[in-house]
Every structure is written in structure tokens, then in C-alpha cells.
Amino acid sequence: SAVISQKPSRDICQRGTSLTIQCQVDSQVTMMFWYRQQPGQSLTLIATANQGSEATYESGFVIDKFPISRPNLTFSTLTVSNMSPEDSSIYLCSARTGGNKQYFGPGTRLTVT
Amino acid sequence: GIQVEQSPPDLILQEGANSTLRCNFSDSVNNLQWFHQNPWGQLINLFYIPSGTKQNGRLSATTVATERYSLLYISSSQTTDSGVYFCAVEGAGTASKLTFGTGTRLQVTL
């Protein structure tokens, strides 16, 4: 299994600013992902964080808006750039172990005013 | 892309009752997982079950990959089972990406 922590747990930000979310896994994992969950909705994959190379983004998400880093096998960051109220959401870090099970962090609740 | 639909969307049970949640998917899958999102938002992995049947305590799951569905059984439900249950699948050829279903919101009452 994998235990995932995220910082910050929540934040309130002004429009036009940026927020960087950190994700730490307690063990080396093969894959890391970032998801977004809007209130009352399901989860949507933003990107796969690739260790040592550029992230792979899903349709509708771009690197300029959501830059991602993954410097090693246990850590990743997601930045939400030039925020607008539409970016208010829960952002979830996820990791997959060698056994293919996927685990999630507690999420970062972002409110943009 | 692959479509994942769950039913029912909402379910209210009395404590002690049993329930069956269904997940239908539109294409072949390499990976299927069930998650429980508790009322505080934490997602817990319940099962990795691309095919076959597994049991863990009061929970069990069955995936019939050839017929493109999976079932999650909850027996003797408890109030702590409340929350949202998600099915997530990785379509064949989609490079390890899980697509989440619409979810079933379960409320267990005393």
C-alpha cells in the first residue's frame, strides 16, 4: 500500500494568483497522478506526473495552467496558475503501486475569490 | 473514451441491510477498482478486481469482464459505510489511466 500526504489541506486564494500543492508518498511508486473533483461530482484526471520528464496532460488541461513537477519517485507538485473562481475545486494526488492498486491523498480544497 | 456508469445514483439503507452496487463499462478493461469516499472526502481503495470475485469482510466484489460490468456487495451495512462509492476502470490501451464512474451515494441510517 501507499500513504499519501498533501499540503496544504485547504486554501483560499485571490483570482490571478497561483498555488502550488505538494504531494508526498511514503514509498517509491511507479506512477503518480493529479485529479480534480468539483463539488458533488466524480473525479477527472488532470495529468500523469512522469518522473524526470514532462507530465502527460488530459484533454482540456494544459501545462501553462497546471504545471506539474515530479523530481523523484515519491514527490510531486501541482501548480494552479492565474486562478479564477472556476478553479475552485478539490485537487487530489494519487499514486499507483507495482500491484496496480491506486491510492489517494486527502485532497486540497481550493477556493478562489 | 471509455464510459463508466454506476447505479443506483443514490441509495438509503437502514443499518443491517444488504445492498448491491453496479458498474457498467463500455469497453474492454485492463484494470478495475472500487473506492469508497467517506464523508470527509478521503478515498479508500476497496478492491482491485479486473476479473473474478474477491471478498474483504462485509464487502465483496465481482467483475464479469466479458459482459462489461462489476458488482459491489455490502452486507450488514453500518453507518460508517455511508459515503460515495466509485468504480474506476482502465480501458485497454489507455496507458494506466483510471476513468471514474458517476458514483453511488450511500446513506446508512440507524
Side-chain angles (χ1 to χ4, degrees), chain A residues 4 31 33 35 37 40-43 45 48 58 90 92 96 99-107 109, chain B residues 31 33 35 37 39-43 45-48 86 90 95-103 105:
Chain A
I4 303 174
M31 305 188 77
F33 307 89
Y35 287 80
Q37 185 178 28
Q41 303 294 313
S42 185
L43 281 73
L45 179 63
T48 302
E58 297 302 302
I90 299 172
L92 294 143
R96 187 177 293 194
N100 282 323
K101 288 187 77 169
Q102 198 154 322
Y103 300 89
F104 283 82
R109 296 174 187 273
Chain B
N31 186 335
Q33 304 188 32
F35 296 88
Q37 187 168 40
W40 297 271
Q42 177 69 57
L43 278 151
N45 190 303
L46 299 175
F47 292 103
Y48 164 71
F86 289 105
E90 175 188 314
S96 302
K97 299 184 296 186
L98 285 181
T99 297
F100 276 72
T102 48
R105 184 173 299 275

mmCIF file of all heavy atoms in Angstrom, chain A residues 4 31 33 35 37 40-43 45 48 58 90 92 96 99-107 109, chain B residues 31 33 35 37 39-43 45-48 86 90 95-103 105:
data_model
loop_
_atom_site.group_PDB
_atom_site.id
_atom_site.type_symbol
_atom_site.label_atom_id
_atom_site.label_comp_id
_atom_site.label_asym_id
_atom_site.label_seq_id
_atom_site.Cartn_x
_atom_site.Cartn_y
_atom_site.Cartn_z
ATOM 1 N N ILE A 4 -0.305 8.650 1.352
ATOM 2 C CA ILE A 4 -0.046 9.878 0.609
ATOM 3 C C ILE A 4 -0.467 11.086 1.442
ATOM 4 O O ILE A 4 -1.581 11.106 1.981
ATOM 5 C CB ILE A 4 -0.809 9.871 -0.727
ATOM 6 C CG1 ILE A 4 -0.413 8.646 -1.552
ATOM 7 C CG2 ILE A 4 -0.537 11.150 -1.505
ATOM 8 C CD1 ILE A 4 -1.219 8.468 -2.824
ATOM 9 N N MET A 31 3.793 5.170 -10.546
ATOM 10 C CA MET A 31 3.083 6.234 -11.237
ATOM 11 C C MET A 31 2.414 7.171 -10.238
ATOM 12 O O MET A 31 1.948 6.739 -9.186
ATOM 13 C CB MET A 31 2.031 5.660 -12.194
ATOM 14 C CG MET A 31 2.587 4.672 -13.205
ATOM 15 S SD MET A 31 1.419 4.186 -14.461
ATOM 16 C CE MET A 31 1.461 5.629 -15.511
ATOM 17 N N PHE A 33 -0.404 10.640 -10.174
ATOM 18 C CA PHE A 33 -1.429 11.314 -10.956
ATOM 19 C C PHE A 33 -1.984 12.494 -10.163
ATOM 20 O O PHE A 33 -1.947 12.505 -8.936
ATOM 21 C CB PHE A 33 -2.599 10.369 -11.252
ATOM 22 C CG PHE A 33 -2.206 9.053 -11.884
ATOM 23 C CD1 PHE A 33 -1.892 7.957 -11.100
ATOM 24 C CD2 PHE A 33 -2.165 8.915 -13.265
ATOM 25 C CE1 PHE A 33 -1.535 6.742 -11.661
ATOM 26 C CE2 PHE A 33 -1.815 7.706 -13.842
ATOM 27 C CZ PHE A 33 -1.504 6.617 -13.050
ATOM 28 N N TYR A 35 -5.720 14.597 -9.905
ATOM 29 C CA TYR A 35 -7.131 14.624 -10.262
ATOM 30 C C TYR A 35 -7.779 15.890 -9.714
ATOM 31 O O TYR A 35 -7.293 16.487 -8.743
ATOM 32 C CB TYR A 35 -7.869 13.422 -9.654
ATOM 33 C CG TYR A 35 -7.578 12.088 -10.290
ATOM 34 C CD1 TYR A 35 -6.426 11.374 -9.985
ATOM 35 C CD2 TYR A 35 -8.473 11.526 -11.196
ATOM 36 C CE1 TYR A 35 -6.170 10.141 -10.564
ATOM 37 C CE2 TYR A 35 -8.227 10.278 -11.776
ATOM 38 C CZ TYR A 35 -7.077 9.605 -11.453
ATOM 39 O OH TYR A 35 -6.829 8.378 -12.025
ATOM 40 N N GLN A 37 -11.730 17.214 -8.425
ATOM 41 C CA GLN A 37 -13.089 16.803 -8.103
ATOM 42 C C GLN A 37 -13.888 18.039 -7.727
ATOM 43 O O GLN A 37 -13.617 18.655 -6.685
ATOM 44 C CB GLN A 37 -13.116 15.779 -6.960
ATOM 45 C CG GLN A 37 -14.507 15.239 -6.676
ATOM 46 C CD GLN A 37 -14.535 14.200 -5.579
ATOM 47 O OE1 GLN A 37 -13.702 14.211 -4.686
ATOM 48 N NE2 GLN A 37 -15.491 13.284 -5.649
ATOM 49 N N GLY A 40 -19.675 17.555 -5.420
ATOM 50 C CA GLY A 40 -20.745 16.653 -5.801
ATOM 51 C C GLY A 40 -20.507 15.889 -7.086
ATOM 52 O O GLY A 40 -21.416 15.214 -7.574
ATOM 53 N N GLN A 41 -19.305 15.980 -7.619
ATOM 54 C CA GLN A 41 -19.016 15.348 -8.903
ATOM 55 C C GLN A 41 -18.017 14.195 -8.753
ATOM 56 O O GLN A 41 -17.460 13.968 -7.673
ATOM 57 C CB GLN A 41 -18.434 16.383 -9.879
ATOM 58 C CG GLN A 41 -19.330 17.577 -10.116
ATOM 59 C CD GLN A 41 -20.610 17.219 -10.825
ATOM 60 O OE1 GLN A 41 -20.602 16.506 -11.822
ATOM 61 N NE2 GLN A 41 -21.731 17.687 -10.285
ATOM 62 N N SER A 42 -17.807 13.519 -9.856
ATOM 63 C CA SER A 42 -16.813 12.456 -9.882
ATOM 64 C C SER A 42 -15.414 13.062 -10.062
ATOM 65 O O SER A 42 -15.244 14.279 -10.074
ATOM 66 C CB SER A 42 -17.137 11.494 -11.026
ATOM 67 O OG SER A 42 -16.264 10.389 -11.008
ATOM 68 N N LEU A 43 -14.431 12.196 -10.188
ATOM 69 C CA LEU A 43 -13.048 12.637 -10.334
ATOM 70 C C LEU A 43 -12.682 12.733 -11.809
ATOM 71 O O LEU A 43 -13.056 11.857 -12.608
ATOM 72 C CB LEU A 43 -12.098 11.650 -9.660
ATOM 73 C CG LEU A 43 -11.963 11.733 -8.143
ATOM 74 C CD1 LEU A 43 -13.180 11.194 -7.428
ATOM 75 C CD2 LEU A 43 -10.706 11.005 -7.686
ATOM 76 N N LEU A 45 -9.252 13.207 -14.312
ATOM 77 C CA LEU A 45 -7.799 13.164 -14.360
ATOM 78 C C LEU A 45 -7.263 14.416 -15.041
ATOM 79 O O LEU A 45 -7.689 14.750 -16.152
ATOM 80 C CB LEU A 45 -7.340 11.914 -15.115
ATOM 81 C CG LEU A 45 -5.837 11.714 -15.272
ATOM 82 C CD1 LEU A 45 -5.159 11.533 -13.909
ATOM 83 C CD2 LEU A 45 -5.546 10.511 -16.169
ATOM 84 N N THR A 48 -0.837 12.822 -15.745
ATOM 85 C CA THR A 48 0.073 11.825 -15.172
ATOM 86 C C THR A 48 1.412 12.510 -14.959
ATOM 87 O O THR A 48 1.966 13.102 -15.899
ATOM 88 C CB THR A 48 0.235 10.632 -16.129
ATOM 89 O OG1 THR A 48 -1.057 10.064 -16.373
ATOM 90 C CG2 THR A 48 1.157 9.586 -15.536
ATOM 91 N N GLU A 58 -4.275 15.476 -19.831
ATOM 92 C CA GLU A 58 -5.513 15.026 -20.450
ATOM 93 C C GLU A 58 -6.141 16.177 -21.236
ATOM 94 O O GLU A 58 -5.812 17.353 -21.037
ATOM 95 C CB GLU A 58 -6.484 14.528 -19.369
ATOM 96 C CG GLU A 58 -5.959 13.326 -18.624
ATOM 97 C CD GLU A 58 -5.648 12.155 -19.543
ATOM 98 O OE1 GLU A 58 -6.566 11.695 -20.264
ATOM 99 O OE2 GLU A 58 -4.491 11.696 -19.546
ATOM 100 N N ILE A 90 -11.571 20.465 -5.425
ATOM 101 C CA ILE A 90 -10.662 19.651 -4.629
ATOM 102 C C ILE A 90 -9.651 19.042 -5.585
ATOM 103 O O ILE A 90 -10.035 18.459 -6.610
ATOM 104 C CB ILE A 90 -11.408 18.540 -3.877
ATOM 105 C CG1 ILE A 90 -12.439 19.141 -2.923
ATOM 106 C CG2 ILE A 90 -10.420 17.669 -3.097
ATOM 107 C CD1 ILE A 90 -13.355 18.124 -2.276
ATOM 108 N N LEU A 92 -6.645 16.294 -5.996
ATOM 109 C CA LEU A 92 -6.245 15.046 -5.353
ATOM 110 C C LEU A 92 -4.999 14.480 -6.028
ATOM 111 O O LEU A 92 -4.943 14.343 -7.260
ATOM 112 C CB LEU A 92 -7.363 14.018 -5.456
ATOM 113 C CG LEU A 92 -8.628 14.381 -4.676
ATOM 114 C CD1 LEU A 92 -9.866 13.946 -5.418
ATOM 115 C CD2 LEU A 92 -8.591 13.720 -3.305
ATOM 116 N N ARG A 96 0.124 4.929 -7.883
ATOM 117 C CA ARG A 96 -0.122 3.524 -8.157
ATOM 118 C C ARG A 96 1.116 2.723 -7.785
ATOM 119 O O ARG A 96 2.228 3.081 -8.161
ATOM 120 C CB ARG A 96 -0.464 3.321 -9.626
ATOM 121 C CG ARG A 96 -0.909 1.889 -9.927
ATOM 122 C CD ARG A 96 -1.300 1.718 -11.363
ATOM 123 N NE ARG A 96 -2.504 2.456 -11.710
ATOM 124 C CZ ARG A 96 -3.194 2.245 -12.829
ATOM 125 N NH1 ARG A 96 -2.812 1.300 -13.670
ATOM 126 N NH2 ARG A 96 -4.266 2.962 -13.095
ATOM 127 N N GLY A 99 1.597 -3.255 -7.659
ATOM 128 C CA GLY A 99 0.493 -4.208 -7.733
ATOM 129 C C GLY A 99 -0.723 -3.667 -8.451
ATOM 130 O O GLY A 99 -1.761 -4.310 -8.493
ATOM 131 N N ASN A 100 -0.621 -2.465 -9.010
ATOM 132 C CA ASN A 100 -1.678 -1.825 -9.798
ATOM 133 C C ASN A 100 -2.808 -1.215 -8.985
ATOM 134 O O ASN A 100 -3.707 -0.616 -9.564
ATOM 135 C CB ASN A 100 -2.274 -2.769 -10.849
ATOM 136 C CG ASN A 100 -1.374 -2.894 -12.063
ATOM 137 O OD1 ASN A 100 -0.759 -1.913 -12.478
ATOM 138 N ND2 ASN A 100 -1.257 -4.086 -12.601
ATOM 139 N N LYS A 101 -2.795 -1.373 -7.662
ATOM 140 C CA LYS A 101 -3.795 -0.668 -6.869
ATOM 141 C C LYS A 101 -3.416 0.809 -6.809
ATOM 142 O O LYS A 101 -2.241 1.166 -6.803
ATOM 143 C CB LYS A 101 -3.870 -1.234 -5.457
ATOM 144 C CG LYS A 101 -4.517 -2.598 -5.393
ATOM 145 C CD LYS A 101 -4.735 -3.051 -3.963
ATOM 146 C CE LYS A 101 -5.912 -2.365 -3.320
ATOM 147 N NZ LYS A 101 -6.297 -2.976 -2.032
ATOM 148 N N GLN A 102 -4.430 1.653 -6.757
ATOM 149 C CA GLN A 102 -4.196 3.091 -6.756
ATOM 150 C C GLN A 102 -4.691 3.672 -5.435
ATOM 151 O O GLN A 102 -5.740 3.279 -4.926
ATOM 152 C CB GLN A 102 -4.914 3.734 -7.949
ATOM 153 C CG GLN A 102 -4.414 5.110 -8.289
ATOM 154 C CD GLN A 102 -4.629 5.457 -9.750
ATOM 155 O OE1 GLN A 102 -4.486 4.622 -10.643
ATOM 156 N NE2 GLN A 102 -4.988 6.709 -9.991
ATOM 157 N N TYR A 103 -3.909 4.633 -4.916
ATOM 158 C CA TYR A 103 -4.190 5.238 -3.628
ATOM 159 C C TYR A 103 -4.258 6.749 -3.786
ATOM 160 O O TYR A 103 -3.663 7.319 -4.708
ATOM 161 C CB TYR A 103 -3.103 4.850 -2.613
ATOM 162 C CG TYR A 103 -3.016 3.356 -2.403
ATOM 163 C CD1 TYR A 103 -2.198 2.570 -3.193
ATOM 164 C CD2 TYR A 103 -3.791 2.745 -1.423
ATOM 165 C CE1 TYR A 103 -2.143 1.200 -3.022
ATOM 166 C CE2 TYR A 103 -3.733 1.369 -1.237
ATOM 167 C CZ TYR A 103 -2.920 0.604 -2.046
ATOM 168 O OH TYR A 103 -2.876 -0.758 -1.870
ATOM 169 N N PHE A 104 -5.017 7.371 -2.877
ATOM 170 C CA PHE A 104 -5.241 8.805 -2.968
ATOM 171 C C PHE A 104 -4.829 9.530 -1.703
ATOM 172 O O PHE A 104 -4.953 8.999 -0.587
ATOM 173 C CB PHE A 104 -6.721 9.091 -3.241
ATOM 174 C CG PHE A 104 -7.117 8.850 -4.663
ATOM 175 C CD1 PHE A 104 -7.404 7.568 -5.115
ATOM 176 C CD2 PHE A 104 -7.163 9.898 -5.573
ATOM 177 C CE1 PHE A 104 -7.740 7.344 -6.435
ATOM 178 C CE2 PHE A 104 -7.506 9.679 -6.892
ATOM 179 C CZ PHE A 104 -7.798 8.398 -7.329
ATOM 180 N N GLY A 105 -4.366 10.763 -1.896
ATOM 181 C CA GLY A 105 -4.135 11.638 -0.768
ATOM 182 C C GLY A 105 -5.456 12.219 -0.283
ATOM 183 O O GLY A 105 -6.508 11.998 -0.880
ATOM 184 N N PRO A 106 -5.410 12.980 0.817
ATOM 185 C CA PRO A 106 -6.628 13.525 1.413
ATOM 186 C C PRO A 106 -7.231 14.683 0.629
ATOM 187 O O PRO A 106 -8.348 15.101 0.922
ATOM 188 C CB PRO A 106 -6.157 13.981 2.786
ATOM 189 C CG PRO A 106 -4.706 14.263 2.599
ATOM 190 C CD PRO A 106 -4.209 13.279 1.598
ATOM 191 N N GLY A 107 -6.500 15.211 -0.348
ATOM 192 C CA GLY A 107 -7.037 16.296 -1.152
ATOM 193 C C GLY A 107 -6.684 17.678 -0.628
ATOM 194 O O GLY A 107 -6.377 17.862 0.554
ATOM 195 N N ARG A 109 -8.457 21.394 -0.731
ATOM 196 C CA ARG A 109 -9.693 22.121 -1.040
ATOM 197 C C ARG A 109 -9.341 23.569 -1.342
ATOM 198 O O ARG A 109 -8.887 24.294 -0.459
ATOM 199 C CB ARG A 109 -10.659 22.040 0.142
ATOM 200 C CG ARG A 109 -11.121 20.637 0.429
ATOM 201 C CD ARG A 109 -11.955 20.538 1.691
ATOM 202 N NE ARG A 109 -12.230 19.136 1.997
ATOM 203 C CZ ARG A 109 -13.247 18.452 1.524
ATOM 204 N NH1 ARG A 109 -14.131 19.054 0.733
ATOM 205 N NH2 ARG A 109 -13.425 17.180 1.835
ATOM 206 N N ASN B 31 -7.953 -2.948 -15.951
ATOM 207 C CA ASN B 31 -7.878 -2.647 -14.528
ATOM 208 C C ASN B 31 -9.234 -2.122 -14.094
ATOM 209 O O ASN B 31 -9.836 -1.310 -14.807
ATOM 210 C CB ASN B 31 -6.785 -1.572 -14.310
ATOM 211 C CG ASN B 31 -6.486 -1.265 -12.858
ATOM 212 O OD1 ASN B 31 -7.311 -1.451 -11.964
ATOM 213 N ND2 ASN B 31 -5.283 -0.776 -12.612
ATOM 214 N N GLN B 33 -11.147 -0.885 -10.315
ATOM 215 C CA GLN B 33 -11.005 -0.718 -8.871
ATOM 216 C C GLN B 33 -12.280 -0.089 -8.312
ATOM 217 O O GLN B 33 -12.926 0.711 -8.991
ATOM 218 C CB GLN B 33 -9.780 0.144 -8.546
ATOM 219 C CG GLN B 33 -8.492 -0.429 -9.148
ATOM 220 C CD GLN B 33 -7.222 0.238 -8.720
ATOM 221 O OE1 GLN B 33 -7.104 0.733 -7.595
ATOM 222 N NE2 GLN B 33 -6.231 0.250 -9.607
ATOM 223 N N PHE B 35 -13.680 2.187 -5.042
ATOM 224 C CA PHE B 35 -13.255 3.119 -3.997
ATOM 225 C C PHE B 35 -14.463 3.559 -3.176
ATOM 226 O O PHE B 35 -15.582 3.664 -3.679
ATOM 227 C CB PHE B 35 -12.611 4.373 -4.603
ATOM 228 C CG PHE B 35 -11.342 4.131 -5.359
ATOM 229 C CD1 PHE B 35 -11.381 3.816 -6.710
ATOM 230 C CD2 PHE B 35 -10.108 4.227 -4.736
ATOM 231 C CE1 PHE B 35 -10.199 3.597 -7.421
ATOM 232 C CE2 PHE B 35 -8.931 4.024 -5.438
ATOM 233 C CZ PHE B 35 -8.983 3.704 -6.785
ATOM 234 N N GLN B 37 -15.446 6.883 -0.920
ATOM 235 C CA GLN B 37 -15.082 8.230 -0.473
ATOM 236 C C GLN B 37 -15.918 8.554 0.751
ATOM 237 O O GLN B 37 -17.156 8.677 0.658
ATOM 238 C CB GLN B 37 -15.308 9.268 -1.568
ATOM 239 C CG GLN B 37 -14.777 10.639 -1.195
ATOM 240 C CD GLN B 37 -14.738 11.591 -2.377
ATOM 241 O OE1 GLN B 37 -15.643 11.617 -3.206
ATOM 242 N NE2 GLN B 37 -13.679 12.386 -2.476
ATOM 243 N N PRO B 39 -17.364 10.618 4.169
ATOM 244 C CA PRO B 39 -17.952 11.972 4.244
ATOM 245 C C PRO B 39 -16.919 13.087 4.407
ATOM 246 O O PRO B 39 -17.237 14.253 4.174
ATOM 247 C CB PRO B 39 -18.882 11.875 5.439
ATOM 248 C CG PRO B 39 -19.276 10.428 5.484
ATOM 249 C CD PRO B 39 -18.033 9.683 5.069
ATOM 250 N N TRP B 40 -15.697 12.773 4.770
ATOM 251 C CA TRP B 40 -14.638 13.762 4.906
ATOM 252 C C TRP B 40 -13.808 13.894 3.632
ATOM 253 O O TRP B 40 -12.855 14.664 3.588
ATOM 254 C CB TRP B 40 -13.739 13.414 6.096
ATOM 255 C CG TRP B 40 -14.523 13.455 7.367
ATOM 256 C CD1 TRP B 40 -14.726 14.504 8.184
ATOM 257 C CD2 TRP B 40 -15.250 12.345 7.941
ATOM 258 N NE1 TRP B 40 -15.537 14.142 9.235
ATOM 259 C CE2 TRP B 40 -15.868 12.821 9.111
ATOM 260 C CE3 TRP B 40 -15.432 11.011 7.579
ATOM 261 C CZ2 TRP B 40 -16.658 12.009 9.926
ATOM 262 C CZ3 TRP B 40 -16.223 10.202 8.380
ATOM 263 C CH2 TRP B 40 -16.827 10.704 9.530
ATOM 264 N N GLY B 41 -14.184 13.134 2.617
ATOM 265 C CA GLY B 41 -13.561 13.281 1.318
ATOM 266 C C GLY B 41 -12.427 12.322 1.013
ATOM 267 O O GLY B 41 -11.921 12.311 -0.112
ATOM 268 N N GLN B 42 -11.984 11.534 1.968
ATOM 269 C CA GLN B 42 -10.879 10.611 1.736
ATOM 270 C C GLN B 42 -11.333 9.414 0.903
ATOM 271 O O GLN B 42 -12.358 8.791 1.212
ATOM 272 C CB GLN B 42 -10.295 10.121 3.056
ATOM 273 C CG GLN B 42 -9.179 9.102 2.903
ATOM 274 C CD GLN B 42 -7.903 9.706 2.317
ATOM 275 O OE1 GLN B 42 -7.338 10.652 2.848
ATOM 276 N NE2 GLN B 42 -7.432 9.142 1.195
ATOM 277 N N LEU B 43 -10.571 9.117 -0.129
ATOM 278 C CA LEU B 43 -10.850 7.959 -0.989
ATOM 279 C C LEU B 43 -10.074 6.757 -0.478
ATOM 280 O O LEU B 43 -8.850 6.821 -0.315
ATOM 281 C CB LEU B 43 -10.439 8.250 -2.424
ATOM 282 C CG LEU B 43 -11.438 9.039 -3.252
ATOM 283 C CD1 LEU B 43 -10.727 9.852 -4.296
ATOM 284 C CD2 LEU B 43 -12.438 8.102 -3.903
ATOM 285 N N ASN B 45 -9.231 2.717 -1.194
ATOM 286 C CA ASN B 45 -9.285 1.649 -2.179
ATOM 287 C C ASN B 45 -9.885 0.409 -1.546
ATOM 288 O O ASN B 45 -9.356 -0.109 -0.564
ATOM 289 C CB ASN B 45 -7.876 1.373 -2.709
ATOM 290 C CG ASN B 45 -7.879 0.448 -3.898
ATOM 291 O OD1 ASN B 45 -8.389 -0.663 -3.829
ATOM 292 N ND2 ASN B 45 -7.302 0.898 -4.993
ATOM 293 N N LEU B 46 -10.993 -0.068 -2.107
ATOM 294 C CA LEU B 46 -11.657 -1.261 -1.574
ATOM 295 C C LEU B 46 -11.173 -2.535 -2.258
ATOM 296 O O LEU B 46 -10.898 -3.535 -1.601
ATOM 297 C CB LEU B 46 -13.172 -1.136 -1.744
ATOM 298 C CG LEU B 46 -13.850 0.035 -1.046
ATOM 299 C CD1 LEU B 46 -15.323 0.068 -1.415
ATOM 300 C CD2 LEU B 46 -13.659 -0.047 0.450
ATOM 301 N N PHE B 47 -11.137 -2.493 -3.588
ATOM 302 C CA PHE B 47 -10.776 -3.676 -4.355
ATOM 303 C C PHE B 47 -10.079 -3.286 -5.648
ATOM 304 O O PHE B 47 -10.433 -2.306 -6.292
ATOM 305 C CB PHE B 47 -12.027 -4.498 -4.755
ATOM 306 C CG PHE B 47 -12.740 -5.153 -3.624
ATOM 307 C CD1 PHE B 47 -13.918 -4.611 -3.148
ATOM 308 C CD2 PHE B 47 -12.250 -6.310 -3.057
ATOM 309 C CE1 PHE B 47 -14.602 -5.211 -2.103
ATOM 310 C CE2 PHE B 47 -12.915 -6.917 -2.001
ATOM 311 C CZ PHE B 47 -14.092 -6.362 -1.532
ATOM 312 N N TYR B 48 -9.073 -4.091 -5.995
ATOM 313 C CA TYR B 48 -8.517 -4.127 -7.351
ATOM 314 C C TYR B 48 -9.057 -5.418 -7.946
ATOM 315 O O TYR B 48 -8.714 -6.510 -7.474
ATOM 316 C CB TYR B 48 -6.997 -4.118 -7.316
ATOM 317 C CG TYR B 48 -6.351 -4.535 -8.615
ATOM 318 C CD1 TYR B 48 -6.387 -3.701 -9.735
ATOM 319 C CD2 TYR B 48 -5.712 -5.764 -8.732
ATOM 320 C CE1 TYR B 48 -5.799 -4.089 -10.921
ATOM 321 C CE2 TYR B 48 -5.123 -6.150 -9.921
ATOM 322 C CZ TYR B 48 -5.168 -5.316 -11.008
ATOM 323 O OH TYR B 48 -4.575 -5.700 -12.196
ATOM 324 N N PHE B 86 -17.207 4.713 -5.764
ATOM 325 C CA PHE B 86 -16.808 4.905 -7.151
ATOM 326 C C PHE B 86 -16.205 3.625 -7.706
ATOM 327 O O PHE B 86 -15.401 2.960 -7.048
ATOM 328 C CB PHE B 86 -15.752 6.009 -7.279
ATOM 329 C CG PHE B 86 -16.274 7.401 -7.046
ATOM 330 C CD1 PHE B 86 -15.990 8.065 -5.857
ATOM 331 C CD2 PHE B 86 -17.022 8.057 -8.009
ATOM 332 C CE1 PHE B 86 -16.444 9.354 -5.643
ATOM 333 C CE2 PHE B 86 -17.482 9.341 -7.798
ATOM 334 C CZ PHE B 86 -17.200 9.994 -6.609
ATOM 335 N N GLU B 90 -9.608 1.156 -16.194
ATOM 336 C CA GLU B 90 -8.549 1.487 -17.146
ATOM 337 C C GLU B 90 -8.860 0.729 -18.414
ATOM 338 O O GLU B 90 -8.787 -0.501 -18.440
ATOM 339 C CB GLU B 90 -7.196 1.078 -16.578
ATOM 340 C CG GLU B 90 -6.023 1.255 -17.521
ATOM 341 C CD GLU B 90 -4.764 0.629 -16.923
ATOM 342 O OE1 GLU B 90 -4.487 0.862 -15.737
ATOM 343 O OE2 GLU B 90 -4.078 -0.120 -17.648
ATOM 344 N N ALA B 95 -3.054 3.375 -21.333
ATOM 345 C CA ALA B 95 -1.821 3.757 -20.652
ATOM 346 C C ALA B 95 -1.986 4.061 -19.172
ATOM 347 O O ALA B 95 -1.598 5.131 -18.699
ATOM 348 C CB ALA B 95 -1.188 4.954 -21.347
ATOM 349 N N SER B 96 -2.568 3.139 -18.437
ATOM 350 C CA SER B 96 -2.606 3.201 -16.973
ATOM 351 C C SER B 96 -3.427 4.353 -16.425
ATOM 352 O O SER B 96 -3.162 4.828 -15.319
ATOM 353 C CB SER B 96 -1.187 3.273 -16.410
ATOM 354 O OG SER B 96 -0.435 2.175 -16.831
ATOM 355 N N LYS B 97 -4.407 4.842 -17.134
ATOM 356 C CA LYS B 97 -5.230 5.942 -16.648
ATOM 357 C C LYS B 97 -6.581 5.410 -16.206
ATOM 358 O O LYS B 97 -7.295 4.778 -16.976
ATOM 359 C CB LYS B 97 -5.438 6.979 -17.743
ATOM 360 C CG LYS B 97 -4.149 7.604 -18.237
ATOM 361 C CD LYS B 97 -4.416 8.688 -19.262
ATOM 362 C CE LYS B 97 -5.058 8.150 -20.514
ATOM 363 N NZ LYS B 97 -5.176 9.200 -21.554
ATOM 364 N N LEU B 98 -6.948 5.695 -14.967
ATOM 365 C CA LEU B 98 -8.255 5.286 -14.471
ATOM 366 C C LEU B 98 -9.304 6.327 -14.819
ATOM 367 O O LEU B 98 -9.109 7.524 -14.563
ATOM 368 C CB LEU B 98 -8.229 5.113 -12.950
ATOM 369 C CG LEU B 98 -7.557 3.874 -12.382
ATOM 370 C CD1 LEU B 98 -7.650 3.881 -10.862
ATOM 371 C CD2 LEU B 98 -8.167 2.601 -12.939
ATOM 372 N N THR B 99 -10.415 5.852 -15.376
ATOM 373 C CA THR B 99 -11.587 6.697 -15.614
ATOM 374 C C THR B 99 -12.621 6.346 -14.567
ATOM 375 O O THR B 99 -12.987 5.165 -14.409
ATOM 376 C CB THR B 99 -12.163 6.442 -17.015
ATOM 377 O OG1 THR B 99 -11.191 6.799 -17.997
ATOM 378 C CG2 THR B 99 -13.434 7.259 -17.243
ATOM 379 N N PHE B 100 -13.089 7.361 -13.852
ATOM 380 C CA PHE B 100 -14.013 7.148 -12.754
ATOM 381 C C PHE B 100 -15.464 7.182 -13.233
ATOM 382 O O PHE B 100 -15.818 7.938 -14.138
ATOM 383 C CB PHE B 100 -13.815 8.211 -11.675
ATOM 384 C CG PHE B 100 -12.700 7.860 -10.735
ATOM 385 C CD1 PHE B 100 -11.377 7.931 -11.150
ATOM 386 C CD2 PHE B 100 -12.969 7.450 -9.445
ATOM 387 C CE1 PHE B 100 -10.340 7.587 -10.296
ATOM 388 C CE2 PHE B 100 -11.942 7.099 -8.577
ATOM 389 C CZ PHE B 100 -10.632 7.174 -9.018
ATOM 390 N N GLY B 101 -16.270 6.341 -12.581
ATOM 391 C CA GLY B 101 -17.691 6.351 -12.842
ATOM 392 C C GLY B 101 -18.379 7.500 -12.145
ATOM 393 O O GLY B 101 -17.761 8.319 -11.462
ATOM 394 N N THR B 102 -19.689 7.518 -12.300
ATOM 395 C CA THR B 102 -20.515 8.609 -11.794
ATOM 396 C C THR B 102 -20.742 8.519 -10.287
ATOM 397 O O THR B 102 -21.138 9.500 -9.673
ATOM 398 C CB THR B 102 -21.850 8.592 -12.507
ATOM 399 O OG1 THR B 102 -22.375 7.248 -12.490
ATOM 400 C CG2 THR B 102 -21.701 9.020 -13.972
ATOM 401 N N GLY B 103 -20.506 7.365 -9.710
ATOM 402 C CA GLY B 103 -20.618 7.204 -8.265
ATOM 403 C C GLY B 103 -22.004 6.812 -7.799
ATOM 404 O O GLY B 103 -23.019 7.104 -8.448
ATOM 405 N N ARG B 105 -24.102 7.301 -4.211
ATOM 406 C CA ARG B 105 -24.083 7.926 -2.888
ATOM 407 C C ARG B 105 -24.931 7.074 -1.943
ATOM 408 O O ARG B 105 -26.134 6.910 -2.172
ATOM 409 C CB ARG B 105 -24.630 9.348 -2.948
ATOM 410 C CG ARG B 105 -24.553 10.099 -1.618
ATOM 411 C CD ARG B 105 -24.952 11.562 -1.794
ATOM 412 N NE ARG B 105 -24.052 12.236 -2.732
ATOM 413 C CZ ARG B 105 -22.886 12.790 -2.406
ATOM 414 N NH1 ARG B 105 -22.474 12.754 -1.154
ATOM 415 N NH2 ARG B 105 -22.150 13.386 -3.324
#
